[in-house]
Amino acid sequence: MRVNKKFSCLPAEEKGIHIINIRAIEDIGYDQHESTLLNSLSKNPDADCKYGLYFRDGKRKVDYILVYHYKKSSAGKTLARRAQQNDSSVRSTKQDQPLPGKGVQLEMVEGEPHMDYHEDDKRFRREEYEGNLVEAGLELERDEDTKIHGIGFVKIHAPWNVLCREAEFLKLKMPTKKMYQINQTHGLLKKINSVIQKITEPIQPKVAEHKPQTVKRLSYPFSREKQHLFDLSDKDSFFDSKTRSTIVYEILKRTTCTKAKYSMGITSLLANGVYSAAYPLHDGDYEGENVEPNDRKLLCEEWASYGVFYKYQPIDLVRKYFGEKIGLYFAWLGVYTQMLIPASIVGIIVFLYGCATVDENIPSMEMCDQRNNITMCPLCDRTCSYWKMSSACATARASHLFDNPATVFFSVFMALWAATFMEHWKRKQMRLNYRWDLTGFEEEEDHPRAEYEAKVLEKSLRKEHKHKETDKEKLTWKDRFPAYLTNFVGIIFMVGLTFAIVFGVIIYRISTAAALAISSTPSGRSSVRVTVTATAVIINLVVIIILDEVYGCIARWLTQIEVPKTDKNFEERLIFKAFLLKFVNAYTPIFYVAFFKGRFVGRPGDYVYIFHSFRMEECAPGGCLMELCIQLSIIMLGKQLIQNNLFEIGIPKMKKFIRYLKLKRRRSLDHEEHMKKKQRYEVDYNLEPFAGLTPEYMEMIIQFGFVTLFVASFPLAPLFALLNNIIEIRLDAKKFVTELRRPVAVRAKDIGIWYNILRGIGKLAVIINAFVISFTSDFIPRLVYLYMYSENGTMHGFVNHTLSSFNVSDFQAGTAPNDPLDLGYEVQICRYKDYREPPWSENKYDISKDFWAVLAARLAFVIVFQNLVMFMSDFVDWIIPDIPKDISQQIHKEKVLMVEVFMREEQGKLHMLETWKDTDKRKGENCNNHSPRLSRSHSGSLSSCHSYPLDV
């Protein structure tokens, strides 16, 4: 759509004038009804425009939408007239533009609200910005006659010449006319692949993009000079909607709003409220009768539905609709979920092995045997009495389910599984890069963020105020030092807060255990440990969920005050801070139970106290591994169920309901507006804006930590993660298709910093599992007893070997049980779990040599396990190539074919030149064969003969 020249191009000397003068000029000669820049839609929209998907003419497609708030008042005209009357005085004022959103500081007109000046400022900026967009080649159309009062929409269309120009600038790879055959497998592999295809056919999505391809179009960066190479038979579909919106967004980002030093692109205009939203449109409705087929509807049916949870994802269609970055996220999530299947199967086998061998486990049988009559020392001072070890029989039997020799094998398996998963994803990523024409793609530096530009402008204005000549300014580490200091102090404070909360829960556990021990009922005393553990874990879960949300907001604020230059820098810094805080928040309680609980207890008669009154916690007779399993399972399942699923379902539903109530109230005020059918851009405006992939990745990375870091204590973790992810994929898909505005497609060839975080967690998992097996479980003490102390080569006597003796007469004053005859007999010697000398020894209660033997074995196991598993993981990494062989061959084949195409083109040009030369030569010979008389009498003929080839 063409623009009125009066409106689109101001004279050069007027482009830098004060904003009030622009309004005065408009009031003088540019009436709003004359301008053809932004036409209004009629009150009854024509069905030809498909309710907002096209311009009013029904031909030009809407590629992007800008949304703004407006107020209809007479203040603007009054302000313009005053500006016109005082034109000379206004021109003499300072020429520098104010900061966006600050308004123009002029004397207020009586009876006019101050807000009108801000509204006029925003309107002037919009008019200049939209005029610059038209100069850039875009076509615009405005609609203020909508069902949403006070909201205006600007529809943007990119014509063919603009699309071609920007595609060349962005170096977009587009399909050429040349097609080639994809190498197919032969022999046995071909038969295996055909069998697999037949078996998996029912679980394949019914979309054209997911069918196996035998031919592929050769792709090449688009060039206007080489348009003949590309398949331009259908120009309307050559650039799909995703590519069109990406091109328009690039123009929006680089188009400036003012000629002043502060260049305001769309990000700055959004940040300062000049526009309230900017987004591409969805392809159409996804439900309802008589809905035209579109990619969104297809995605809703074949991807964003819980009824297709068993099917593969249509990743190519997801990429086609949402772009490569979102496509890679769902591809990664799909690969991760598939890889959880073998891990879940092995975990179930390990758990079933523990169930099958629990009755054959000699240590638990000895603990449950009441004939042993082992009397244990009190668990707390004064109020707790002596107790029988056989009362902890259930805990001992349950511990064997997770603390058995198979868990060591499972830890090694999961370490290799993590390495295999990373390699498998790299290969899958390369396949996607080849299929999506991303080979050779390199990310270019993004445009500066609005906040960064504002800080740079503020810095340059300060220097100008001091009469200093400045070059192009940029923020240095000195400018950011206060922000860095705030980040450091803030992160240290948050980590300290997490430790303090965990310490508070420890105090709760100790005090609650002491309080419940006073209970006179035997059932109350027997369930003390289970009650304390369960309630403490629930408290931890609630605190973790609350702090997760708080830490997410704090990490974003800390990143914002750093003022990173580009969106990529902002995202990476935000990810680092958020991951650090959420990692500490989620795993600190688990680390405490795994490595600190029961380590600093002391011994009877010389216990370690907190605040001189609370005794440190002890592990159960069967060890702390069972409690670690409970802690890990409740926190993992609780986070997944409450935070990941209920929050993701509940909060969007609640926001949608609130928006529905607001719209219902507006409709009740205006029945005529209610009867109008909504345009596509109005419907999309009521959807939630896309907030990025960081929250989606973060919850999966934390889950990956639960699956790998402490898997030795909870073999069923991969199974629960698998069940969660099956729901998570469809939940995220439904959110993207039905509840979010369509995000701008972003090209990306990998998952970025998340891959490095995954590798770091995989390496850390090897070390942590080595320490869990060695120090938290009883695996090493059993091996030491079996090969060093067992008389008959069996585990008989192991429980007695791990218990030390204590003479009750050595209790400190005031710490002995109040009821020493609670068991019905007088106790002289009680037992406690530790390796110490007996009371009848010369060095009574000192650490025995058995302790040092077990410690040496534990440390040796950590070193051997860590190095062995690391070596095996690196071997898996080395033996599996990052790029599949067939993909590398296809990439090479593409290069060869492209060289052939250009060689043929060059040969064609040479052949054409030779043809022209032969034609020129023959024409010259014909002219020379003419008679001399004819040549002299027609002197112009010879020259015309020689000039013919030039005319051609």
Side-chain angles (χ1 to χ4, degrees):
M1 156 174 256
R2 293 303 169 193
V3 58
N4 194 324
K5 292 182 179 179
K6 296 185 297 182
F7 195 95
S8 66
C9 299
L10 292 174
E13 62 272 11
E14 295 292 333
K15 289 189 176 181
I17 64 173
H18 200 278
I19 201 163
I20 297 301
N21 290 343
I22 296 177
R23 183 65 185 90
I25 290 171
E26 181 191 344
D27 191 65
I28 294 170
Y30 307 111
D31 293 336
Q32 210 166 14
H33 67 273
E34 288 184 6
S35 173
T36 58
L37 169 64
L38 302 171
N39 292 328
S40 299
L41 287 176
S42 60
K43 293 184 179 179
N44 297 317
D46 193 355
D48 290 340
C49 68
K50 296 187 178 180
Y51 297 101
L53 287 174
Y54 287 82
F55 275 22
R56 269 193 315 170
D57 56 17
K59 298 177 180 178
R60 290 170 295 175
K61 189 173 183 180
V62 176
D63 298 319
Y64 218 87
I65 291 291
L66 300 179
V67 187
Y68 60 91
H69 293 270
Y70 68 92
K71 284 184 63 179
K72 293 181 178 179
S73 65
S74 60
K77 292 185 178 180
T78 309
L79 178 63
R81 294 192 188 99
R82 172 161 297 195
Q84 180 182 354
Q85 293 169 4
N86 302 309
D87 183 64
S88 59
S89 61
V90 175
R91 284 177 183 271
S92 63
T93 58
K94 190 176 180 179
Q95 298 296 311
D96 291 338
Q97 293 282 2
L99 285 175
K102 300 297 183 184
V104 182
Q105 301 298 326
L106 292 177
E107 186 180 351
M108 289 181 59
V109 181
E110 290 186 8
E112 294 177 3
H114 183 68
M115 186 183 300
D116 288 343
Y117 294 105
H118 296 277
E119 293 299 323
D120 288 339
D121 177 34
K122 292 178 182 178
R123 184 172 71 254
F124 302 148
R125 293 186 186 278
R126 285 197 297 268
E127 289 171 354
E128 183 182 358
Y129 182 69
E130 290 162 11
N132 292 338
L133 290 180
V134 172
E135 289 182 359
L138 298 178
E139 299 175 1
L140 312 180
E141 190 174 74
R142 174 177 288 163
D143 181 12
E144 291 185 354
D145 183 27
T146 63
K147 298 182 70 173
I148 309 175
H149 292 282
I151 300 293
F153 297 89
V154 177
K155 297 176 283 185
I156 303 177
H157 168 76
W160 173 255
N161 60 326
V162 174
L163 293 173
C164 293
R165 181 190 71 205
E166 297 299 323
E168 185 172 352
F169 291 167
L170 296 174
K171 301 177 183 177
L172 296 180
K173 274 191 172 183
M174 305 302 294
T176 63
K177 297 176 183 177
K178 176 69 176 177
M179 301 182 71
Y180 67 95
Q181 194 80 16
I182 297 177
N183 293 339
Q184 301 293 323
T185 55
H186 301 284
L188 181 62
L189 285 177
K190 185 177 181 180
K191 294 181 180 178
I192 294 174
N193 288 337
S194 62
V195 171
I196 292 175
Q197 286 180 5
K198 289 180 181 178
I199 294 174
T200 59
E201 187 175 357
I203 60 176
Q204 299 290 346
K206 298 177 181 178
V207 296
E209 286 80 1
H210 201 77
K211 294 179 180 178
Q213 298 178 346
T214 56
V215 293
K216 185 178 183 293
R217 286 190 178 275
L218 195 62
S219 296
Y220 185 73
F222 188 82
S223 172
R224 286 173 290 180
E225 294 180 356
K226 300 184 183 300
Q227 286 193 31
H228 58 278
L229 294 178
F230 300 94
D231 183 12
L232 303 179
S233 56
D234 186 4
K235 290 186 177 182
D236 292 336
S237 62
F238 184 73
F239 295 105
D240 57 14
S241 59
K242 164 186 69 73
T243 307
R244 296 175 70 99
S245 62
T246 302
I247 287 174
V248 174
Y249 182 62
E250 288 295 324
I251 298 175
L252 292 176
K253 282 198 297 184
R254 72 165 185 259
T255 301
T256 56
C257 174
T258 175
K259 300 300 181 183
K261 292 183 179 179
Y262 188 69
S263 59
M264 294 178 63
I266 187 61
T267 53
S268 303
L269 295 172
L270 288 170
N272 291 280
V274 178
Y275 291 102
S276 57
Y279 52 88
L281 292 179
H282 279 291
D283 278 358
D285 292 324
Y286 59 90
E287 59 183 359
E289 298 180 358
N290 302 323
V291 176
E292 293 186 5
N294 57 72
D295 287 342
R296 188 187 187 194
K297 185 174 184 294
L298 188 59
L299 282 172
C300 189
E301 294 172 352
E302 293 295 329
W303 183 51
S305 172
Y306 296 109
V308 294
F309 72 92
Y310 59 92
K311 288 188 176 183
Y312 285 100
Q313 299 182 85
I315 292 298
D316 291 322
L317 184 59
V318 174
R319 172 254 178 178
K320 177 185 174 185
Y321 194 78
F322 291 109
E324 287 80 6
K325 191 170 185 179
I326 294 176
L328 281 172
Y329 163 70
F330 282 103
W332 173 84
L333 184 56
V335 170
Y336 171 46
T337 305
Q338 290 176 14
M339 290 294 292
L340 283 172
I341 296 175
S344 302
I345 294 173
V346 177
I348 293 172
I349 294 173
V350 170
F351 178 74
L352 294 177
Y353 171 81
C355 295
T357 58
V358 67
D359 293 328
E360 302 172 3
N361 183 40
I362 295 174
S364 60
M365 291 170 60
E366 288 184 348
M367 290 180 65
C368 294
D369 191 356
Q370 297 184 359
R371 295 173 298 177
N372 288 335
N373 197 27
I374 299 177
T375 303
M376 303 297 293
C377 295
L379 296 175
C380 61
D381 294 342
R382 295 187 299 277
T383 56
C384 298
S385 184
Y386 305 105
W387 56 285
K388 293 281 189 181
M389 174 171 272
S390 56
S391 64
C393 175
T395 306
R397 290 173 63 86
S399 296
H400 179 72
L401 300 178
F402 306 100
D403 187 5
N404 56 69
T407 57
V408 180
F409 158 75
F410 191 55
S411 298
V412 177
F413 170 81
M414 287 304 294
L416 298 178
W417 172 87
T420 307
F421 162 60
M422 300 304 295
E423 291 304 308
H424 179 45
W425 167 243
K426 280 197 291 187
R427 291 169 63 84
K428 177 71 173 179
Q429 194 170 254
M430 284 303 304
R431 288 188 182 277
L432 293 176
N433 285 342
Y434 165 71
R435 262 180 18 213
W436 296 348
D437 297 322
L438 291 172
T439 52
F441 167 71
E442 295 294 337
E443 293 185 11
E444 298 180 357
E445 187 175 357
D446 203 356
H447 297 275
R449 299 174 64 248
E451 293 81 357
Y452 180 85
E453 289 186 335
K455 283 287 184 182
V456 170
L457 175 65
E458 186 180 340
K459 181 179 178 181
S460 61
L461 290 177
R462 282 200 307 266
K463 290 194 174 183
E464 281 186 2
H465 184 68
K466 296 178 182 179
H467 306 289
K468 293 182 179 180
E469 294 185 2
T470 58
D471 297 329
K472 189 175 180 180
E473 291 293 338
K474 63 179 181 179
L475 298 184
T476 62
W477 69 270
K478 293 181 180 179
D479 301 317
R480 292 191 173 104
F481 180 75
Y484 290 153
L485 184 62
T486 305
N487 271 260
F488 178 76
V489 174
I491 291 175
I492 294 297
F493 175 77
M494 294 303 153
V495 172
L497 176 64
T498 304
F499 290 162
I501 291 173
V502 172
F503 184 72
V505 174
I506 294 171
I507 299 297
Y508 161 81
R509 293 161 65 113
I510 296 171
S511 57
T512 306
L516 291 176
I518 304 175
S519 173
S520 57
T521 59
S523 60
R525 288 196 297 270
S526 62
S527 61
V528 167
R529 193 180 294 275
V530 176
T531 304
V532 170
T533 300
T535 55
V537 172
I538 292 173
I539 292 173
N540 273 328
L541 174 62
V542 173
V543 170
I544 286 172
I545 291 175
I546 294 173
L547 286 184
D548 252 5
E549 302 301 320
V550 174
Y551 285 169
C553 298
I554 291 175
R556 180 168 290 275
W557 176 74
L558 290 174
T559 309
Q560 286 173 346
I561 64 175
E562 282 187 29
V563 197
K565 184 175 181 179
T566 63
D567 287 331
K568 184 179 180 181
N569 292 340
F570 181 88
E571 185 180 19
E572 289 180 350
R573 296 186 186 195
L574 174 62
I575 289 170
F576 173 75
K577 294 180 184 65
F579 174 73
L580 177 63
L581 293 175
K582 293 189 176 187
F583 182 89
V584 172
N585 180 42
Y587 295 112
T588 299
I590 301 173
F591 269 94
Y592 163 73
V593 175
F595 302 121
F596 296 99
K597 185 178 179 182
R599 309 292 174 194
F600 311 102
V601 178
R603 61 171 179 82
D606 188 21
Y607 283 114
V608 177
Y609 291 90
I610 301 176
F611 304 133
H612 304 287
S613 56
F614 296 109
R615 222 171 82 184
M616 287 294 292
E617 290 183 286
E618 296 182 50
C619 289
C624 278
L625 197 69
M626 186 62 200
E627 188 171 343
L628 176 62
C629 173
I630 295 172
Q631 183 102 1
L632 183 66
S633 59
I634 292 180
I635 291 177
M636 178 182 175
L637 297 178
K639 270 181 66 67
Q640 290 183 349
L641 181 64
I642 298 173
Q643 192 174 23
N644 297 355
N645 293 332
L646 289 184
F647 280 14
E648 287 193 15
I649 297 174
I651 291 178
K653 294 288 184 186
M654 184 175 65
K655 289 181 178 179
K656 195 173 182 180
F657 181 69
I658 292 172
R659 288 196 300 270
Y660 169 75
L661 291 179
K662 289 181 179 178
L663 289 174
K664 189 177 180 182
R665 188 168 66 178
R666 287 173 178 171
R667 289 170 182 172
S668 63
L669 296 175
D670 194 339
H671 179 71
E672 184 180 343
E673 292 287 338
H674 173 59
M675 298 304 293
K676 290 168 56 179
K677 181 176 174 63
K678 276 191 174 183
Q679 303 289 332
R680 176 79 263 152
Y681 42 84
E682 294 180 80
V683 177
D684 287 3
Y685 177 71
N686 290 324
L687 299 176
E688 283 292 308
F690 176 62
L693 290 172
T694 300
E696 315 298 336
Y697 272 115
M698 188 65 71
E699 65 181 73
M700 288 295 105
I701 296 296
I702 296 295
Q703 184 204 82
F704 182 76
F706 283 123
V707 169
T708 55
L709 291 179
F710 296 94
V711 74
S713 62
F714 189 39
L716 296 179
L719 174 63
F720 290 112
L722 173 64
L723 297 176
N724 173 81
N725 287 5
I726 291 174
I727 301 173
E728 181 73 22
I729 289 175
R730 307 303 164 179
L731 186 65
D732 284 348
K734 197 171 186 66
K735 180 173 67 174
F736 272 83
V737 173
T738 64
E739 296 176 0
L740 295 180
R741 294 175 190 161
R742 187 174 183 177
V744 180
V746 178
R747 288 189 297 169
K749 62 187 302 183
D750 52 41
I751 59 175
I753 193 175
W754 297 110
Y755 182 81
N756 297 328
I757 293 176
L758 285 169
R759 285 191 66 87
I761 291 177
K763 299 295 184 184
L764 184 62
V766 176
I767 301 171
I768 290 179
N769 280 303
F771 277 95
V772 167
I773 295 170
S774 181
F775 286 88
T776 309
S777 74
D778 282 339
F779 177 73
I780 299 301
R782 288 172 186 169
L783 286 181
V784 172
Y785 176 79
L786 186 64
Y787 292 106
M788 291 182 63
Y789 299 103
S790 177
E791 297 179 355
N792 53 7
T794 64
M795 293 301 295
H796 288 287
F798 170 74
V799 174
N800 186 61
H801 176 75
T802 59
L803 299 176
S804 299
S805 301
F806 178 75
N807 193 330
V808 298
S809 61
D810 293 332
F811 272 122
Q812 291 181 352
T815 61
N818 295 332
D819 186 10
L821 300 177
D822 184 59
L823 293 178
Y825 56 89
E826 185 179 1
V827 177
Q828 300 291 333
I829 300 292
C830 66
R831 310 295 295 275
Y832 61 98
K833 190 170 183 179
D834 204 350
Y835 291 101
R836 291 183 179 270
E837 297 290 342
W840 51 83
S841 173
E842 293 182 1
N843 303 315
K844 65 177 183 177
Y845 307 134
D846 285 349
I847 293 175
S848 65
K849 64 178 182 179
D850 298 341
F851 171 84
W852 300 111
V854 171
L855 179 62
R858 282 173 164 166
L859 294 176
F861 176 83
V862 168
I863 295 171
V864 173
F865 181 89
Q866 175 185 336
N867 285 281
L868 178 63
V869 175
M870 288 284 192
F871 170 76
M872 295 172 69
S873 300
D874 291 340
F875 179 74
V876 170
D877 190 356
W878 172 76
I879 202 173
I880 301 177
D882 294 345
I883 304 177
K885 186 177 180 180
D886 59 327
I887 297 299
S888 61
Q889 291 175 349
Q890 297 291 352
I891 293 173
H892 178 71
K893 185 176 181 179
E894 276 196 353
K895 292 179 179 178
V896 173
L897 289 174
M898 187 55 68
V899 170
E900 289 180 1
V901 169
F902 284 114
M903 289 298 293
R904 287 177 184 173
E905 186 179 359
E906 290 296 324
Q907 290 173 0
K909 289 180 180 179
L910 292 174
H911 180 68
M912 187 179 297
L913 288 174
E914 290 175 358
T915 305
W916 286 353
K917 288 180 180 179
D918 292 341
T919 306
D920 185 20
K921 187 176 179 180
R922 285 197 298 270
K923 293 292 181 183
E925 290 176 354
N926 292 335
C927 291
N928 292 332
N929 292 334
H930 288 174
S931 62
R933 183 175 55 84
L934 184 63
S935 299
R936 285 192 296 271
S937 61
H938 299 280
S939 57
S941 300
L942 186 60
S943 60
S944 64
C945 288
H946 287 291
S947 65
Y948 177 74
L950 297 176
D951 294 338
V952 175

